[in-house]
Amino acid sequence: MAPPLFNWGVKDTHRGTPVVVKMENPNWSMVELEGPEEEDLMLTNSPSSGVSRDKGRGKNAKQLTWVLLLKAHRAAGCLTSIAPALLGFVAAVKRRVAAGKTDADTDTDGGRENENPAVKTRFYSCIKLFLCLSVFLLVFEIVAYFKGWYFSAARFQLEHFMWTPSFGVKGFFDWLYARWVFVRVEYLAPPLQFLTNACIVLFLIQSMDRLALCLGCFWIRFKKIKPVPKGGGVLDLESGEEKGFSFSPMVLVQIPMCNEKEVYQQSIAAVCNLDWPKGKLLIQVLDDSDDPATQSLIKEEVQKWQQEGANILYRHRVIRDGYKAGNLKSAMNCSYVKDYEFVAIFDADFQPTPDFLKKTVPHFKDNDDLGLVQARWSFVNRDENLLTRLQNINLSFHFEVEQQVNGIFINFFGFNGTAGVWRIKTLEDAGGWLERTTVEDMDIAVRAHLHGWKFIFLNDVECQCELPESYEAYRKQQHRWHSGPMQLFRLCLPDIIRAKISVWKKFNMIFLFFLLRKLILPFYSFTLFCIILPMTMFVPEAELPAWVVCYIPAAMSFLNILPAPKAFPFIVPYLLFENTMSVTKFNAMISGLFQLGSAYEWVVTKKSGRSSEGDLVSLIEKGPKHQRGSSAPDLEELRKQEQQKASKKKKKHNRIYMKELALAFLLLTASARSLLSAQGIHFYFLLFQGISFLLVGLDLIGEQVD
């Protein structure tokens, strides 16, 4: 059996290379020969070795021959495994093309983006136009190349051929090609070069911002800076002991959910096991499910915990307007909320540890300007597949670098929508939850900051959750996360300008928070690497330096991966995948900025509930404060249900994403064109980036579906 091509993370415990030799005589058995170990090749005349240099010289030569032969055998095995791997890949592509749906098809579960068809068609048509033009120009350039034409014709030669009749010097084709070179030199290259230089400037500004954030994170680690409660009384994270804990105000806990039948049990169980005085804790399960069966299951789970003494309530809205913001707004209007001082919010797939409130709430003591304490996310399925690994890299940088640095130095960052504790007075002062955008968490954070409230981010307090395991779910999530901020920017810009805050805070919010990180980043990423770079292959007079294509992106990817050092082998896939996602982010940014397409559509990210059983077992082993009794789900029954699901797999259809496929062929065409002009690093970047778009377009990343 041929060895695998890629064995990242696999520990090789067998020293030496085994070879199995089969003898022809049936009376003989199979003999396993061990290859020489490193110690055998390091023979010396020292007394400890027991072997003289002269006696070992002949043996070492034979052993070296063995090593070379065995290495050649292993290399041959790797080469033989390439063909089956390619055949398997082609077979997978055929299955996806045969059974997959395009991103233009409607989804039977109603969970896909309801984009404006005219906007979708217009955006897709532009990409197809670039693709068709690039294919035509590639054929044109190949013919010109084999006819002996080159791309650096002199100006006077261009003008000469421009006006020479077709029956003149070298015929009609030569005259036509000269006209094309003249047009691109005079009319196409200057505006393309200007756009290229503008994107390079934006790229450098964004890179400097990223570098400044990394330096700030390094300074925090070097100085060991972290938020400390002013009034004391916080759980010691290192020893696990309480030090003078006496601050226990009234806390309201909210769990907003919508059709979350995969994860509702684990989230409710985790929140009901929070270590907080029973009389000072109220849990609201805010169910917006439109499926009666799911409503019944969640309501039954709440009733079981009520029977065990948990102070928990079930709420279901009859009029389900405003998505999550409307759900939270409705819950805050309850009359009993006025008795509570703080509210903790957890999405349905989040599992706070029992001491979560003891690590977060004490920061509010004697700190009247503090409005929000945000905890960090950790992911139970970060190693599930390549897609979750790449998401973990991105989100680790977001929390450990962006959120932590902004929290330490300017006391402001975007609320992540969950795993945070708010002062209820802050929510009321900011105007409460509003349903005007799909990023209600960022909306309330911006309005609270404009009213002078401060935020704290706790990097050492984690709350487990789940990452999207399929590209379709991740794509919808990213569309909402990048269209919503642009909606909010349009709405909040007048308020930011009129706000009574310092000029520096206004600059930070307008330029850094919104424009640079939410608008400029997806704009230049898509424009520079997916449009300009392929065009410069067909208009080589406009140059894109190699350091823009390779060196700076590689350095930025290295900085991004520092908070997740175990993911270092995935640095190249991460760089390519981030550029691939730029088409989705760019489309979402344009939709949100100009109120187009699905800017107001909220799509709940699908959960797998993959960690439910393990988390329930750990909760039982820890012995929660409220004994579960009859409320504990039967684990045997849970296993049977999983087995039934496995035996009756619902056939899933992987989507075929036409925009990504069109861009894949555009980039691959440009890579072929770059060979004619010996572009070097540009060819490799375009080739691998095109392959990345092809894999994503065929939905060959993320959840593996039979």
Side-chain angles (χ1 to χ4, degrees):
M1 182 177 180
L5 288 174
F6 303 102
N7 56 352
W8 290 335
V10 178
K11 185 178 181 180
D12 188 5
T13 58
H14 190 78
R15 302 185 66 182
T17 306
V19 178
V20 177
V21 182
K22 188 175 181 180
M23 303 298 182
E24 294 181 357
N25 191 328
N27 295 326
W28 296 346
S29 61
M30 297 180 68
V31 181
E32 183 176 357
L33 303 179
E34 288 286 343
E37 298 182 356
E38 295 180 2
E39 290 82 354
D40 297 331
L41 300 177
M42 301 298 294
L43 298 174
T44 62
N45 285 325
S46 62
S48 60
S49 64
V51 181
S52 66
R53 185 184 301 272
D54 295 334
K55 292 182 179 180
R57 186 172 298 165
K59 184 178 179 180
N60 284 345
K62 293 181 180 179
Q63 289 173 340
L64 182 59
T65 304
W66 265 106
V67 170
L68 295 177
L69 289 175
L70 296 176
K71 294 296 183 183
H73 168 76
R74 174 169 290 184
C78 290
L79 291 176
T80 57
S81 66
I82 293 177
L86 290 177
L87 292 176
F89 174 74
V90 173
V93 171
K94 288 183 177 179
R95 288 197 302 269
R96 295 296 169 91
V97 173
K101 297 180 180 180
T102 66
D103 52 0
D105 296 332
T106 56
D107 197 347
T108 55
D109 62 4
R112 79 177 303 275
E113 302 157 331
N114 295 324
E115 294 183 74
N116 189 328
V119 176
K120 280 191 61 179
T121 304
R122 196 177 302 121
F123 185 63
Y124 182 42
S125 299
C126 292
I127 297 177
K128 288 195 295 184
L129 178 63
F130 276 110
L131 174 60
C132 295
L133 184 62
S134 66
V135 172
F136 172 76
L137 291 177
L138 176 63
V139 176
F140 193 58
E141 298 286 359
I142 290 175
V143 174
Y145 180 81
F146 283 106
K147 288 181 71 67
W149 281 85
Y150 298 97
F151 311 111
S152 58
R155 180 69 173 269
F156 69 91
Q157 291 177 331
L158 292 178
E159 294 177 352
H160 172 71
F161 286 118
M162 185 72 184
W163 302 110
T164 301
S166 61
F167 51 82
V169 183
K170 290 189 177 181
F172 174 75
F173 181 80
D174 298 336
W175 175 78
L176 182 62
Y177 184 75
R179 288 179 63 94
W180 158 241
V181 175
F182 180 80
V183 168
R184 78 187 190 197
V185 170
E186 291 292 326
Y187 302 107
L188 298 181
L192 181 59
Q193 188 66 59
F194 175 79
L195 182 60
T196 301
N197 295 337
C199 286
I200 291 175
V201 171
L202 297 178
F203 179 44
L204 292 176
I205 294 174
Q206 197 274 334
S207 299
M208 293 299 296
D209 174 63
R210 187 64 53 92
L211 180 61
L213 288 173
C214 291
L215 291 176
C217 182
F218 173 77
W219 183 257
I220 291 172
R221 284 197 170 191
F222 179 72
K223 291 293 186 178
K224 298 181 180 180
I225 303 173
K226 68 176 183 178
V228 177
K230 293 183 178 180
V234 67
L235 192 68
D236 187 3
L237 300 180
E238 296 181 357
S239 64
E241 299 178 355
E242 296 181 13
K243 293 185 176 181
F245 189 86
S246 60
F247 184 62
S248 55
M250 301 286 285
V251 178
L252 177 68
V253 179
Q254 296 177 333
I255 314 176
M257 58 178 64
C258 181
N259 297 323
E260 308 277 7
K261 60 183 178 181
E262 296 86 4
V263 293
Y264 73 93
Q265 282 185 319
Q266 65 191 42
S267 61
I268 294 176
V271 171
C272 287
N273 280 275
L274 287 171
D275 188 8
W276 201 254
K278 181 179 178 180
K280 296 185 177 182
L281 181 69
L282 175 63
I283 303 169
Q284 288 180 318
V285 177
L286 311 177
D287 184 23
D288 254 7
S289 303
D290 55 5
D291 177 24
T294 304
Q295 295 177 24
S296 178
L297 289 172
I298 298 174
K299 190 173 183 180
E300 181 181 356
E301 183 71 13
V302 171
Q303 290 174 349
K304 289 179 181 179
W305 280 100
Q306 287 176 342
Q307 293 173 3
E308 293 303 315
N311 194 10
I312 183 171
L313 299 175
Y314 175 84
R315 283 180 53 84
H316 183 270
R317 293 193 299 163
V318 178
I319 303 176
R320 301 168 54 251
D321 293 335
Y323 303 108
K324 182 180 176 181
N327 197 0
L328 294 172
K329 181 179 180 180
S330 174
M332 294 301 294
N333 288 332
C334 296
S335 59
Y336 52 79
V337 172
K338 65 179 184 298
D339 298 329
Y340 293 84
E341 189 175 355
F342 304 100
V343 56
I345 302 173
F346 301 100
D347 283 351
D349 60 317
F350 278 72
Q351 306 160 52
T353 56
D355 56 359
F356 180 87
L357 294 179
K358 288 189 174 181
K359 294 178 180 178
T360 54
V361 175
H363 288 271
F364 290 98
K365 186 178 182 182
D366 299 332
N367 197 352
D368 296 334
D369 295 334
L370 182 61
L372 167 68
V373 174
Q374 171 74 60
R376 177 179 177 170
W377 298 1
S378 60
F379 311 104
V380 296
N381 61 337
R382 62 184 179 184
D383 297 326
E384 187 62 33
N385 54 42
L386 178 60
L387 179 61
T388 58
R389 290 177 184 271
L390 299 180
Q391 292 179 68
N392 179 57
I393 296 173
N394 223 358
L395 290 172
S396 295
F397 181 87
H398 169 70
F399 284 106
E400 187 161 347
V401 179
E402 290 182 342
Q403 297 291 74
Q404 184 175 207
V405 170
N406 290 330
I408 292 293
F409 292 106
I410 59 177
N411 300 119
F412 169 72
F413 47 82
F415 175 47
N416 294 117
T418 177
V421 182
W422 279 94
R423 188 188 298 271
I424 294 180
K425 182 181 178 182
T426 303
L427 298 178
E428 295 173 348
D429 189 31
W433 299 102
L434 299 180
E435 306 97 324
R436 57 182 183 172
T437 70
T438 57
V439 285
E440 76 295 325
D441 46 5
M442 186 181 295
D443 187 3
I444 192 68
V446 169
R447 287 184 282 120
H449 184 60
L450 294 180
H451 283 78
W453 293 96
K454 296 180 180 180
F455 303 162
I456 284 180
F457 177 78
L458 302 179
N459 188 59
D460 50 1
V461 179
E462 298 183 2
C463 189
Q464 286 192 336
C465 62
E466 186 177 311
L467 291 166
E469 296 180 7
S470 68
Y471 177 69
E472 180 185 357
Y474 180 64
R475 188 170 182 257
K476 292 175 180 178
Q477 181 196 71
Q478 292 300 304
H479 189 278
R480 176 168 57 88
W481 285 5
H482 286 81
S483 64
M486 290 299 97
Q487 292 176 295
L488 183 61
F489 179 64
R490 287 169 53 98
L491 297 171
C492 286
L493 183 58
D495 296 333
I496 297 174
I497 296 175
R498 293 193 301 262
K500 297 179 180 180
I501 57 177
S502 65
V503 176
W504 156 244
K505 290 184 177 180
K506 291 182 180 180
F507 172 81
N508 171 71
M509 187 169 288
I510 294 176
F511 182 73
L512 296 180
F513 185 75
F514 277 114
L515 291 181
L516 186 60
R517 298 167 188 167
K518 304 297 189 298
L519 188 148
I520 291 177
L521 177 59
F523 170 77
Y524 87 75
S525 182
F526 172 76
T527 307
L528 191 61
F529 297 110
C530 300
I531 300 298
I532 293 178
L533 179 58
M535 289 180 65
T536 56
M537 297 298 101
F538 298 100
V539 186
E541 291 77 15
E543 297 181 357
L544 187 61
W547 56 269
V548 177
V549 177
C550 179
Y551 305 122
I552 290 187
M556 292 300 104
S557 298
F558 178 76
L559 293 178
N560 276 23
I561 214 167
L562 286 179
K566 292 183 179 180
F568 185 78
F570 303 95
I571 185 171
V572 174
Y574 170 75
L575 172 60
L576 297 175
F577 182 69
E578 281 300 296
N579 290 335
T580 305
M581 282 302 300
S582 65
V583 61
T584 297
K585 297 176 181 179
F586 178 82
N587 190 23
M589 182 266 293
I590 294 297
S591 298
L593 188 62
F594 297 102
Q595 308 297 301
L596 304 175
S598 57
Y600 289 98
E601 182 69 16
W602 177 289
V603 180
V604 178
T605 304
K606 292 182 180 179
K607 318 294 192 310
S608 65
R610 196 177 293 273
S611 61
S612 301
E613 183 175 335
D615 294 324
L616 291 174
V617 170
S618 64
L619 284 173
I620 293 174
E621 290 176 351
K622 289 179 181 178
K625 182 178 178 180
H626 303 298
Q627 296 298 323
R628 299 192 61 171
S630 61
S631 67
D634 188 354
L635 296 181
E636 291 297 330
E637 183 179 351
L638 199 61
R639 293 190 184 95
K640 290 180 180 179
Q641 291 177 0
E642 292 297 329
Q643 292 175 358
Q644 290 176 358
K645 290 180 181 178
S647 61
K648 299 179 180 180
K649 285 185 178 179
K650 183 180 178 181
K651 188 176 181 181
K652 299 180 181 180
H653 294 278
N654 292 85
R655 293 193 179 278
I656 297 175
Y657 300 97
M658 304 306 296
K659 298 188 190 74
E660 283 80 355
L661 283 181
L663 284 167
F665 292 117
L666 172 63
L667 293 168
L668 292 175
T669 304
S671 69
R673 167 63 180 81
S674 69
L675 288 177
L676 300 179
S677 52
Q679 286 288 346
I681 193 65
H682 296 74
F683 164 73
Y684 295 105
F685 183 87
L686 287 166
L687 176 64
F688 290 115
Q689 190 65 70
I691 294 174
S692 176
F693 267 100
L694 184 63
L695 295 176
V696 171
L698 294 174
D699 201 8
L700 292 172
I701 185 174
E703 183 184 38
Q704 298 300 311
V705 180
D706 295 333

